[in-house]
């Protein structure tokens, strides 16, 4: 097991990570840090989940009294729950930061950094940035680009994020403060094993994620509503599996994410409806050449996207 410390010249102090919400994402963060040797404290409203996490992952409860001990706090709940937790604990986070700043131990003087993992950023970051400014603690929006069609702590894995991209959404700061904050986040996330990091704004994140994630879930979910889905057995292979994988989802979570990003997602849904209408019109007209052109256009765009990724 790799041991993580804060770089003290004296006795090594383990990294302490707090996690709010022990579903697939929060549970995977908790397991990744625990495997790396960090002390993990957490809170989940489901007692059975907390009991399961205590077996080999979580050693304490994340609450107002334990915030000062944290180097990193990961908010892995739904967007509204993340904001509600911040509003409830903003003063305590400010006090924890002040206490760490007053410490004689320079390695712990920076105070805890709070990140969230919600799939939308504008709705969370707008309020979180304001609370962080008002109460003087550090907050960075994040979105780990990894997951599965399953949910819950039972499906969490310590290696879920290994090699995956991580999107960082920092607050507006001067260049030096911004770079310092991002460097701290990068270092604290090191044990999780992300493969790459990108930095963006809440608005740009939400525009892009409407296409790369939310639209894919809508299309997959709508696809299986065809009556033919009840009769496909024995007639399906890779194409069916690939297109239907994310039809299985958490409706409560995804509906909240989609409504928070409604304008961007509506644009993407409208765009794909327009594209599908062109295919339907070509079929109605029995226009083979028009259909060939539409298919060739999509193939060309996909090949171009793949070539860009390989450069």
């Amino acid at each position: 097991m790799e041991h993580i410390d804060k770089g003290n010249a004296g006795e090594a102090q383990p990294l302490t990570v707090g996690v709010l919400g022990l579903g697939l994402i929060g549970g995977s963060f908790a397991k990744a840090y625990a495997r790396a040797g960090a002390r993990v404290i957490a809170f989940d409203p489901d007692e059975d989940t907390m009991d399961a996490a205590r077996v080999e992952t979580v050693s304490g409860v994340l609450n107002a009294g334990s915030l000062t001990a944290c180097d990193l706090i990961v908010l892995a709940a739904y967007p509204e729950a993340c904001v509600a937790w911040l509003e409830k604990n903003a003063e305590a986070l400010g006090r924890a930061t002040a206490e760490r700043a007053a410490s004689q131990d320079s390695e712990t003087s920076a105070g805890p950094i709070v990140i969230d993992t919600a799939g939308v950023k504008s709705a969370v970051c707008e309020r979180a940035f304001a609370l962080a400014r008002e109460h003087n603690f550090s907050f960075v929006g994040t979105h780990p680009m990894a997951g599965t069609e399953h949910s819950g702590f039972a499906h969490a894995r310590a290696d879920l994020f290994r090699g995956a991209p991580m999107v960082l959404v920092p607050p507006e700061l001067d260049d030096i403060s911004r770079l310092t904050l991002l460097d701290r986040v990068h270092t604290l996330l090191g044990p999780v094993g992300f493969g790459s990091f990108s930095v963006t704004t809440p608005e740009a994140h939400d525009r892009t994620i409407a296409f790369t994630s939310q639209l894919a879930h809508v299309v997959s979910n709508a696809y299986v509503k065809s009556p033919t889905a009840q009769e496909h057995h024995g007639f399906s292979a890779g194409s069916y599996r690939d297109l239907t994988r994310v039809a299985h989802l958490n409706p409560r979570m995804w509906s909240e994410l989609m409504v928070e990003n409604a304008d961007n997602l509506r644009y993407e849904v409208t765009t794909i409806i327009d594209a599908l209408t062109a295919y339907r019109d070509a079929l109605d007209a029995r226009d083979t050449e028009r259909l060939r052109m539409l298919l060739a256009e999509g193939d060309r765009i996909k090949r171009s996207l793949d070539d860009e990724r390989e450069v």
Side-chain angles (χ1 to χ4, degrees):
M1 178 181 289
E2 177 188 359
H3 181 74
I4 307 170
D5 62 56
K6 303 169 189 175
N8 296 40
E11 183 180 353
Q13 298 294 317
L15 186 74
T16 299
V17 178
V19 181
L20 174 70
L22 289 170
L24 174 69
I25 300 301
S28 294
F29 268 101
K31 289 184 177 183
Y33 279 110
R35 186 173 70 175
R39 175 179 178 244
V40 179
I41 61 177
F43 175 78
D44 192 283
D46 185 90
E47 279 299 325
D48 290 338
T49 297
M50 285 294 291
D51 289 342
R54 288 188 182 100
V55 173
E56 59 180 16
T57 304
V58 172
S59 61
V61 178
L62 176 67
N63 54 36
S66 61
L67 295 181
T68 304
C70 293
D71 300 287
L72 176 69
I73 298 171
V74 181
L75 306 183
Y78 295 170
E80 290 184 3
C82 289
V83 172
W85 187 91
L86 281 172
E87 290 175 340
K88 179 180 178 180
N89 292 280
E91 291 186 8
L93 286 166
R95 288 195 301 271
T97 300
E99 289 174 15
R100 294 282 286 267
S103 171
Q104 296 301 311
D105 181 356
S106 62
E107 295 296 335
T108 63
S109 63
I113 286 184
V114 185
I115 65 173
D116 83 294
T117 65
V120 291
K121 294 273 76 83
S122 296
V124 175
C125 287
E126 180 180 2
R127 184 62 182 141
F129 290 160
L131 287 168
R133 286 193 304 269
E134 180 181 355
H135 296 281
N136 194 32
F137 64 89
S138 297
F139 176 88
V140 175
T142 73
H143 189 179
M145 303 309 299
T148 74
E149 64 272 30
H150 304 294
S151 60
F153 185 76
H155 298 284
R157 306 195 322 258
D159 64 349
L160 181 66
F161 307 116
R162 182 67 56 181
M166 174 58 128
V167 181
L168 304 178
V169 185
E172 293 186 3
L173 298 168
D174 63 80
D175 290 345
I176 294 178
S177 297
R178 188 168 182 263
L179 288 173
T180 299
L181 179 60
L182 289 174
D183 183 64
R184 286 187 64 208
V185 173
H186 186 274
T187 299
L188 288 167
L189 290 174
V192 182
F194 288 104
S196 63
F197 291 85
S198 58
V199 180
T200 189
T201 64
E203 296 77 19
H205 169 276
D206 289 355
R207 280 196 308 272
T208 304
I209 215 68
F211 171 74
T212 61
S213 178
Q214 294 178 347
L215 179 66
H217 284 78
V218 167
V219 170
S220 181
N221 197 265
Y223 175 74
V224 297
K225 293 179 180 178
S226 168
T228 313
Q230 307 302 318
E231 307 165 3
H232 81 277
H233 299 290
F235 293 83
S236 59
S239 297
Y240 175 84
R241 287 194 301 271
D242 290 346
L243 189 52
T244 60
R245 183 180 69 83
V246 294
H248 179 61
L249 46 71
N250 180 332
R252 179 186 170 195
M253 179 187 76
W254 280 99
S255 60
E256 182 175 331
L257 293 173
M258 290 173 181
V259 168
E260 292 285 6
N261 201 27
D263 290 342
N264 289 317
L265 181 55
R266 184 183 186 282
Y267 168 81
E268 296 297 344
V269 170
T270 300
T271 298
I272 199 169
I273 288 173
D274 291 344
L276 289 171
T277 299
Y279 290 94
R280 186 184 64 186
D281 291 346
L283 291 169
D284 287 344
R286 305 299 194 268
D287 189 337
T288 302
E289 181 59 20
R290 175 60 178 159
L291 186 59
R292 184 196 67 79
M293 291 176 62
L294 290 168
L295 294 169
E297 178 186 35
D299 178 73
R300 183 174 66 254
I301 292 171
K302 176 64 169 112
R303 290 176 186 274
S304 175
L305 292 170
D306 289 346
D307 289 343
E308 290 178 3
R309 185 178 60 182
E310 292 173 1
V311 172

